[in-house]
Amino acid sequence: MSTLPPLGSTIVPRHIAIIMDGNNRYGKAKALGRGEGHIAGKDALDPIVEYCLDTGIEVLTVFAFSSENWQRPPSEVALLMRLLTSTIHEQMPRMNKYRIRLRFIGDRSQLDDDLQTLMLDAEAKTAHFEAMTLVIAISYGGQWDIAHAAKQLALQVEAGDLRAEDINNDLLGQYVQLADAPPVDMLIRTGGEYRISNFLLWQSAYAELFFTQTLWPDFAANELADMIAEFAKRQRRFGKTSEQIDTQASH
């Protein structure tokens, strides 16, 4: 388990999402062999998962492979697919030990059959765990997610089971990935870039954004703890005024 103390009475987010950026730059900075930065990044996930579990985070979603990442060199894509496979195999004993549910989001149609089968098996074997949920986004894009949800509704309209005028934010939100999970409270990007890169666009509508220069393999639980402490200090208004929020808090 995590060696850091839990945050105690500090307000903690229910759902944290992380764009794990900087693996290649880490590998170059350390003069590692080709792909070694991604391997270091894979190893960095475990202590973050354990800290989230200890802290009481309900859902941790990590961006492992985006829909745009298919454009990378074929050798790098193949390496990432192998690492994703090994990550699932390595995570299963940990999921069982800590009673963590493992889920995957993304367009699985582009993944090979063996990986799809492995993902389904992992989800089935951990579906009843309730300590925390770890979500791995593979072949995922936020625009794809929203378009996919819209397509599901369009098919219902086409079949006569739904009227177009019945479609609203709440209904569309029932068809995006992670519709049954809390919305993202904190969205973190490592690696020094200041963009969200098509990640969980719908789910992060009111997320608090955190950016760090730290490359993902160097991102540690103590930095995450600092971010959660900062999160607790922010006033989340959701379109309301500060006065309204203060009044609600006093009642």
Side-chain angles (χ1 to χ4, degrees):
M1 302 295 283
S2 170
T3 57
L4 289 178
L7 290 171
S9 60
T10 298
I11 298 171
V12 298
R14 297 179 66 192
H15 187 170
I16 294 176
I18 304 178
I19 300 172
M20 306 180 294
D21 192 23
N23 290 338
N24 276 332
R25 281 171 286 158
Y26 176 89
K28 291 176 182 176
K30 300 289 185 179
L32 302 178
R34 186 173 182 82
E36 292 294 319
H38 289 301
I39 295 173
K42 177 175 69 69
D43 296 337
L45 180 61
D46 291 345
I48 298 299
V49 172
E50 291 182 16
Y51 184 69
C52 286
L53 178 64
D54 289 347
T55 306
I57 307 303
E58 294 178 32
V59 183
L60 171 64
T61 301
V62 295
F63 209 3
F65 189 88
S66 75
S67 51
E68 289 77 24
N69 286 155
W70 290 109
Q71 303 174 67
R72 293 195 173 192
S75 60
E76 183 174 355
V77 171
L79 170 65
L80 290 169
M81 290 297 113
R82 290 196 299 271
L83 288 177
L84 287 169
T85 298
S86 63
T87 295
I88 297 171
H89 283 298
E90 292 170 8
Q91 286 297 330
M92 284 305 292
R94 300 170 61 79
M95 300 298 100
N96 287 310
K97 179 180 179 180
Y98 297 124
R99 314 297 287 177
I100 297 173
R101 182 184 182 188
L102 186 59
R103 295 179 62 179
F104 302 93
I105 57 173
D107 182 5
R108 304 190 188 193
S109 65
Q110 298 189 70
L111 305 174
D112 67 49
D113 291 343
D114 288 343
L115 181 54
Q116 290 188 50
T117 299
L118 181 63
M119 292 161 61
L120 286 170
D121 184 62
E123 288 178 318
K125 288 179 177 177
T126 64
H128 59 290
F129 294 157
E130 297 181 345
M132 193 184 84
T133 299
L134 172 61
V135 183
I136 301 178
I138 302 176
S139 190
Y140 176 86
Q143 293 174 332
W144 164 86
D145 190 354
I146 297 169
H148 182 264
K151 182 178 180 180
Q152 305 312 304
L153 293 175
L155 290 171
Q156 292 186 46
V157 172
E158 187 177 287
D161 298 327
L162 182 69
R163 298 181 306 165
E165 54 265 33
D166 293 330
I167 299 174
N168 54 29
N169 289 359
D170 290 338
L171 186 59
L172 181 60
Q174 295 174 25
Y175 287 84
V176 297
Q177 307 276 288
L178 298 180
D180 57 335
V184 176
D185 295 307
M186 285 181 65
L187 192 152
I188 301 166
R189 182 174 187 139
T190 64
E193 303 288 357
Y194 294 86
R195 54 180 177 269
I196 59 175
S197 294
N198 197 21
F199 185 42
L200 296 176
L201 300 179
W202 183 277
Q203 299 85 343
S204 300
Y206 279 97
E208 296 294 321
L209 305 181
F210 290 80
F211 300 96
T212 175
Q213 296 294 317
T214 304
L215 303 177
W216 169 248
D218 284 328
F219 187 72
N222 61 336
E223 187 170 0
L224 176 57
D226 290 341
M227 290 179 174
I228 294 175
E230 168 63 25
F231 170 87
K233 298 175 183 177
R234 296 188 184 181
Q235 186 182 66
R236 308 185 72 204
R237 296 191 294 272
F238 299 98
K240 298 179 181 179
T241 66
S242 296
E243 290 76 15
Q244 287 176 301
I245 298 299
D246 290 339
T247 299
Q248 291 174 355
S250 64
H251 286 79

